[in-house]
Structure formats: C-alpha cells, structure tokens
Amino acid sequence: KIAQGAFDGTDLTSVVISPKVTEIVYCAFANCASLESVTLPEGLISIEMAAFENTTSLKSIELPSTLQYIGTRAFDYSGLTSLTVPGSVEGIGYAAFRNTKIETLTLNEGIVGIESYAFANTPLRALSLPASIDGVGHYAFTNCRDLTTVDLGTGLQYVGEGAFSNTGIQSLLIPSNVIFVGESAFAY
C-alpha cells in the first residue's frame, strides 16, 4: 500500500510502483505537477480518493487488468489525454477524471457504473458505453462540449440528472432498457 499523502506535492517526474502494492490511497501522488510517467503494477486493486489529483504533467497511464476500483477525484485535474479503463473496474468514482484533457476514452466490458461528474469538463469527442454499464451518474459527462457521438450501450437503465448536459451530441438512440432519464440529462 502507498499511504496517504506519501508523495503529495513532491517534484517527482516518474514512478514505477512495486508489484507488491495493491492500493494507492488518499492523495498519495496528489499535487505532483512534474509527474509525467507512472507505471502501475498488475496486482493493483484500487486507486483511492485524489491519489493522482492535480498531476497536470501526467498525459497517459496504463491501468492494470487487476484494477477494481477508481476512487473519488482519483485523477481530477490531471493532464491525461487518453484513457482505457479495463473491464475489471467495477465502477468509476465521483469526479474520478473530471477536469482532465481526455479526448479518447475506451471503456471495456465489465464496468458496471459511472458515478457523478466522473468525466465532467473534458474535451472528450466520442463515447461508447459497453453493455455492462447500467447507470450513468448525475452530470457524469456535463460540459464535454466536443462530445458529438455517443453510443449508450444496450445495458443502460439509468441516466442521471444532467448526465450529458452542455455537450455537442447531435443524434442519440435511447436503448430500450432505459427506465429513467433524469432532469436536464441531455439539455444544453
């Protein structure tokens, strides 16, 4: 385990994390503005709250296939430009990737939910939800103004309030499984 605030605010530029580490906790690498490279080990299970928050120089990261949990604000205000989330991740936490620079996002089959504000305020261009995702939280993709193409997937049942508000979506097919669409879910 990498403990709370272990490297918070340091001038690290790269990190290779030991294969024995299974969790990275609160603010472990937060505010490391010079951090450009992180190698995460297979065997890592969770990235907790704000673990990599404000890592503005971090442009990409490969998430291991063993990862199950991405916590609240885990990468909020990081410099990530693209991301692939493995299907082993059960849920993407509140504001986990909010305010990043993610343009390209791949969500793999197996992910169940996307919590509120998870990808809010990003330059994401397209989105395809796997069939395993049954819910998109409140404002999860709000203010993704470059988001024009969305495939909601066949398993989606719940679209939270404002989930896709202030986006550039031009056409949309609501899957037959959807039982709830929240207030202003697709409003501009």
Side-chain angles (χ1 to χ4, degrees):
K1 162 176 157 172
I2 297 180
Q4 177 176 332
F7 299 95
D8 189 352
T10 64
D11 291 328
L12 288 172
T13 58
S14 73
V15 174
V16 176
I17 297 174
S18 164
K20 295 185 180 195
V21 171
T22 58
E23 64 180 315
I24 301 171
V25 302
Y26 180 71
C27 290
F29 294 94
N31 306 305
C32 291
S34 300
L35 187 60
E36 296 176 356
S37 172
V38 175
T39 303
L40 300 175
E42 285 297 321
L44 184 67
I45 295 170
S46 68
I47 298 173
E48 302 288 335
M49 181 176 185
F52 292 94
E53 186 174 51
N54 290 320
T55 51
T56 54
S57 296
L58 186 63
K59 304 296 181 214
S60 66
I61 194 163
E62 185 173 334
L63 301 176
S65 64
T66 54
L67 190 64
Q68 296 174 12
Y69 178 73
I70 301 172
T72 297
R73 298 187 350 256
F75 292 90
D76 193 13
Y77 285 102
S78 74
L80 294 177
T81 59
S82 65
L83 181 69
T84 298
V85 181
S88 59
V89 173
E90 295 164 8
I92 298 171
Y94 176 92
F97 297 96
R98 179 182 60 181
N99 301 310
T100 63
K101 303 205 180 337
I102 295 173
E103 293 180 6
T104 307
L105 174 65
T106 303
L107 300 170
N108 285 306
E109 186 68 32
I111 301 166
V112 177
I114 298 173
E115 290 186 26
S116 299
Y117 295 95
F119 294 93
N121 308 324
T122 64
L124 188 62
R125 297 177 188 277
L127 176 66
S128 181
L129 299 180
S132 57
I133 291 182
D134 64 7
V136 175
H138 302 314
Y139 302 96
F141 295 93
T142 190
N143 295 323
C144 294
R145 298 190 195 289
D146 296 331
L147 183 59
T148 58
T149 305
V150 174
D151 175 353
L152 292 176
T154 57
L156 191 65
Q157 297 178 17
Y158 176 90
V159 179
E161 177 181 325
F164 294 92
S165 60
N166 296 317
T167 64
I169 297 173
Q170 296 170 353
S171 67
L172 187 66
L173 173 64
I174 306 288
S176 60
N177 287 11
V178 171
I179 56 176
F180 180 82
V181 176
E183 184 176 327
S184 301
F186 296 91
Y188 193 80

